[in-house]
Amino acid sequence: MFITVEGPEGSGKSSQLPALAEYLRQQGHAVSTTREPGGTEIGNQVRAVLMSLQNTAMNARTEALLFCAARAQLVEQVIRPRLAAGEIVLSDRYADSTLAYQGYGRGCDLGQLRCLLDFATGGLWPDLTLLMDVPVEEGLRRKRSGGGEWNRLDAWEVALHQRIRQGFLEIAHANPERWIIVDASQSPEMVQLAL
Ligand code: TYD
């Protein structure tokens, strides 16, 4: 089973993911976790180009292609083999982030992006996706005060982050059989209970 966790900046997904993986292991499942962009040696090199604060001139289509390049490597090298071995794969972000960020956020055509994503993933879409939803201001405030990495994408204007959040919500509402929306503005303990 392939599960992805998505959300706008500062939704707390990366800190909730280990607890979710642990819970699934306690239920007797073999679980692998991955994160995007990255998760492979080649993917991590692509990640460095994407995140660098020097690359402010990056075109939206260049960005979409680079995220997809890193993902293609991750799917073939890690995700498909683990799924074939019967494991649950839990990924911190996946293809829906490209639709929300490069599509709804930066204006790439959604239909073209879906074709590109099918090409990059060989048609592998998650069985289940959790959307950790948080208001944009709250998410950015958490990120700023969290002391973690502040990358090129975090520095985008607030209106762009608003479009990304709305994009995630729109995709989730259009596919209720795959998506579960979690209110991630609650305390970490409450979010964990909701999961
Ligand atoms: P990261 O530091 O991993 O942040 P987060 O904890 O928010 O996942 O940075 C990944 C950034 O890349 C994040 O701003 C979301 C963005 N992103 C895209 O724009 N498109 C994509 O396809 C993916 C996977 C991520």
Side-chain angles (χ1 to χ4, degrees):
M1 187 181 196
F2 182 27
I3 304 175
T4 58
V5 185
E6 298 280 5
E9 303 305 320
S11 62
K13 57 186 173 51
S14 308
S15 46
Q16 293 289 347
L17 208 110
L20 184 57
E22 194 42 45
Y23 171 78
L24 291 169
R25 285 189 189 106
Q26 278 167 10
Q27 304 298 303
H29 302 287
V31 182
S32 288
T33 57
T34 61
R35 80 153 180 177
E36 280 217 27
T40 64
E41 215 165 285
I42 292 170
N44 284 333
Q45 293 174 48
V46 177
R47 179 188 173 89
V49 176
L50 279 162
M51 298 294 123
S52 169
L53 286 163
Q54 288 178 353
N55 290 338
T56 48
M58 192 179 295
N59 177 269
R61 279 189 269 195
T62 310
E63 201 172 272
L65 287 164
L66 287 174
F67 278 114
C68 284
R71 182 168 305 129
Q73 191 66 29
L74 183 68
V75 166
E76 283 312 306
Q77 198 178 318
V78 180
I79 300 179
R80 281 193 192 276
R82 302 269 162 85
L83 290 174
E87 295 184 18
I88 292 181
V89 176
L90 196 54
S91 185
D92 186 345
R93 295 199 186 280
Y94 189 65
D96 295 295
S97 275
T98 305
L99 292 173
Y101 279 77
Q102 282 67 51
Y104 288 87
R106 296 206 62 192
C108 290
D109 181 84
L110 291 172
Q112 290 181 342
L113 276 184
R114 285 201 180 89
C115 290
L116 179 65
L117 290 166
D118 278 334
F119 173 73
T121 63
L124 180 70
W125 287 84
D127 301 297
L128 174 71
T129 301
L130 303 174
L131 173 57
M132 307 285 284
D133 181 49
V134 69
V136 167
E137 278 82 5
E138 168 66 9
L140 291 174
R141 191 191 58 72
R142 285 182 187 173
K143 259 218 139 157
R144 276 197 201 93
S145 59
E149 178 194 68
W150 183 258
N151 62 47
R152 183 178 63 85
L153 285 72
D154 298 319
W156 283 343
E157 82 233 36
V158 172
L160 202 154
H161 286 291
Q162 300 278 14
R163 291 199 295 279
I164 292 165
R165 180 189 180 209
Q166 289 312 317
F168 273 128
L169 287 168
E170 203 173 305
I171 302 169
H173 286 303
N175 302 281
E177 67 295 339
R178 168 157 75 90
W179 287 75
I180 296 174
I181 302 175
V182 179
D183 176 4
S185 62
Q186 315 167 82
S187 69
E189 295 75 20
M190 290 304 289
V191 173
Q192 213 159 311
L193 279 177
L195 290 174

